[in-house]
Amino acid sequence: MNRLLAACIAMLLGACGADSNPPLPKLTLDPERVAVVGISSGAIMAQQMHLAFSDHLRGAALLSGPPYQCAEGSLERALGYCLKAAGATPDMEKLAAEITARAQRGDLAPLHGLRGDHVLVTHGKNDTLVPESMSRASLALYQALPEASSMTLRFDGDGAFAHLWPTTSAGGDCQTTATPYIGNCNRDYAGEVMQAMFGDAPAAAPAQAGGRLSAFDQDAYRPDGEDALLDSAGLLYQPARCAQGERCGLLIAFHGCEQNRAALGETFARDNGLNRWADVYGTVVLYPQTRSSYLPLNPKACWDWWGYSGANYDTRSGVQLRAVANMAAALGAPLQ
């Protein structure tokens, strides 16, 4: 009897301590205004997402990340060739052929989904972590595809900043690659992203975001119950008018390594400047969150760009891509 009582008490205590974050709200979203953005490993994740679901996305903004399939499923190649081979670029003809084959098999979106899309690739002059040639390769990938002529493609490598997200005033030293990987650079990169993805701003951004940033239950969106190696909670920013039922856009923002909720709390989501502009553009911002692990090896909570979540990590079958797609669908913007 004592053992039974102890077990019951333990169950009750476990329930009390369980994550009680709510599910995502169902919003009124415009399917023509859905885009992705990411920094570092989040930039690669954003490009994986774009190629996998381009038939439902209008574009991608990629900040300081190597291109799709750079790692070729190998952590050794990811840490070596992709981050240390300065001046090197993947074989674009071979990569374009692989993307085409994957699209034909249904592993990625049909290539016609890229038509008319907007892509902004940005790299800081003082970024010593990711070679500029690798960032440029992220854009060259699109240029190698037949749909490039219909797309708006731009590379910006003029900014004098380190491997970080540049802001007008938030974060640390603009020239130092260090946590929280947000830099006070007197540069509104968030505004540049919003303009590139959604057009000219209808008004200036307010000094502070006026909507609500809140946590939601990410575990509810595990694809077929499979562990996507994500945090139990993600973050969502809702401008007041979006929460009140106005038709809004959706931006999915992928943090970089060591910028996840467990490492920084809400710092990335609060300080990158996207929420201020989301109020102006009428755009909800979804911040999916990774988690760190040692089995599989991912101690810095990077997004999967080398295969730790499975061999199909960068296709429509990839567990992280499917989990984020489930989140978008729950919000009202299905991607498949």
Side-chain angles (χ1 to χ4, degrees), residues 213-291:
L213 180 68
S214 58
F216 68 90
D217 178 12
Q218 273 196 158
D219 284 339
Y221 307 102
R222 290 186 174 195
D224 302 318
E226 187 178 353
D227 185 3
L229 301 166
L230 302 181
D231 196 324
S232 61
L235 297 170
L236 178 72
Y237 179 76
Q238 298 179 74
R241 53 179 164 147
C242 302
Q244 292 165 4
E246 184 174 314
R247 190 176 178 85
C248 286
L250 171 64
L251 181 67
I252 303 172
F254 295 102
H255 61 72
C257 304
E258 299 182 292
Q259 283 185 317
N260 57 309
R261 175 175 168 263
L264 298 181
E266 297 179 346
T267 298
F268 177 72
R270 286 196 180 278
D271 290 353
N272 62 32
L274 288 173
N275 301 340
R276 295 166 49 245
W277 284 107
D279 288 345
V280 174
Y281 280 88
T283 302
V284 174
V285 187
L286 174 68
Y287 295 100
Q289 300 290 305
T290 58
R291 74 171 190 260

Side-chain angles (χ1 to χ4, degrees), residues 35 58 61 118-120 152 154 188-203 251 274 277-278 280-281 283:
R58 66 176 288 125
H118 300 253
V119 175
L120 170 65
T152 301
R154 183 161 67 94
D188 194 350
Y189 178 67
E192 296 170 25
V193 168
M194 287 293 195
Q195 183 183 42
M197 296 299 102
F198 303 119
D200 291 340
L251 181 67
L274 288 173
W277 284 107
V280 174
Y281 280 88
T283 302

Side-chain angles (χ1 to χ4, degrees), residues 52-68:
F53 303 112
S54 63
D55 46 349
H56 293 278
L57 296 171
R58 66 176 288 125
L62 314 174
L63 174 59
S64 300
Y68 181 83

Side-chain angles (χ1 to χ4, degrees), residues 118-167:
H118 300 253
V119 175
L120 170 65
V121 178
T122 308
H123 189 87
K125 285 183 176 180
N126 300 323
D127 185 342
T128 58
L129 183 62
V130 175
E132 181 181 317
S133 62
M134 288 297 171
S135 277
R136 287 186 177 275
S138 297
L139 192 72
L141 178 159
Y142 294 106
Q143 293 169 329
L145 297 173
E147 286 69 21
S149 61
S150 74
M151 302 176 72
T152 301
L153 304 172
R154 183 161 67 94
F155 180 84
D156 183 350
D158 294 333
F161 56 88
H163 186 78
L164 47 74
W165 182 291
T167 72

